[in-house]
């Protein structure tokens, strides 16, 4: 008996949704392959795509690693250890931050805030997945594994 139990009613509704989705015609913008951002700029007056120099900066994992490593080195030079509390945030001067600081928010003093405590906790937890080079750079600082 179709539709008698709670599960079968849910299944019928789900199948109906699938059928309706399959029968739906693609919109003109979907058919033309236009992205949502471009659709907004076409349909909303006053919205234009951002110029190339104002678009978000893509940071690679390597840039992020170098930023956090620079913050760890600064902390180690100041404190003499890497026993960093999980909630610690390190202020790193822009000149030490390197290319990963491009496009990041800075403090009025011209520093970049790095969530160093969380990063070191995550690095310790994922130590087995680190490359030999990255592990060696942290060993130089006396990382407690």
């Amino acid at each position: 008996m179709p539709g008698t139990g709670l599960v079968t009613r849910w299944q019928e509704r789900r199948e109906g949704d699938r059928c309706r989705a399959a029968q739906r015609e693609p919109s003109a913008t979907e058919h033309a392959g236009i992205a949502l951002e471009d659709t907004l700029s076409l349909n909303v007056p006053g919205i234009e795509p951002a110029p190339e120099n104002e678009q978000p900066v893509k940071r690679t994992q390597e840039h992020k690693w170098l930023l956090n490593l620079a913050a760890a080195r600064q902390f180690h030079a100041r404190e003499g250890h890497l026993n960093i509390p999980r909630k610690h945030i390190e202020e790193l001067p822009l000149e030490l931050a390197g290319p990963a600081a491009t496009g990041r928010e800075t403090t009025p003093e011209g520093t970049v805030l790095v969530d160093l405590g969380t990063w070191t906790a995550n690095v310790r937890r994922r130590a087995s997945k680190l490359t030999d080079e990255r592990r060696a750079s942290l060993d130089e600082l006396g990382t407690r594994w």
Side-chain angles (χ1 to χ4, degrees):
M1 290 191 213
T4 56
L6 195 61
V7 173
T8 48
R9 279 186 272 169
W10 175 80
Q11 289 171 335
E12 287 174 358
R13 201 171 324 141
R14 189 170 176 209
E15 287 300 317
D17 290 345
R18 282 188 194 156
C19 291
R20 282 190 293 281
Q23 293 170 353
R24 182 181 67 83
E25 289 282 327
S27 68
T29 54
E30 288 173 332
H31 188 67
I34 299 174
L36 176 62
E37 298 82 24
D38 297 333
T39 304
L40 287 174
S41 65
L42 292 174
N43 296 327
V44 179
I47 294 182
E48 297 176 14
E52 286 293 320
N53 62 346
E54 291 182 14
Q55 292 186 356
V57 177
K58 296 199 189 245
R59 287 183 279 283
T60 64
Q61 291 298 321
E62 185 65 22
H63 284 146
K64 293 176 187 177
W65 172 264
L66 293 173
L67 177 72
N68 286 302
L69 185 59
R73 285 185 175 136
Q74 176 180 292
F75 182 91
H76 184 267
R78 183 180 66 245
E79 303 291 331
H81 61 83
L82 274 186
N83 299 330
I84 303 169
R86 183 157 175 90
K87 293 186 177 185
H88 178 74
I89 295 177
E90 188 75 11
E91 287 190 35
L92 191 64
L94 281 173
E95 56 272 4
L96 294 178
T102 307
R104 284 182 72 125
E105 288 187 34
T106 58
T107 63
E109 296 83 30
T111 59
V112 176
L113 298 178
V114 179
D115 194 358
L116 189 59
T118 302
W119 180 76
T120 52
N122 289 338
V123 165
R124 285 186 184 120
R125 194 174 69 238
R126 299 177 185 135
S128 63
K129 296 179 183 177
L130 289 175
T131 63
D132 292 338
E133 179 184 312
R134 288 183 175 184
R135 192 172 178 107
S137 63
L138 289 171
D139 284 339
E140 289 173 8
L141 298 176
T143 300
R144 177 180 46 92
W145 298 104

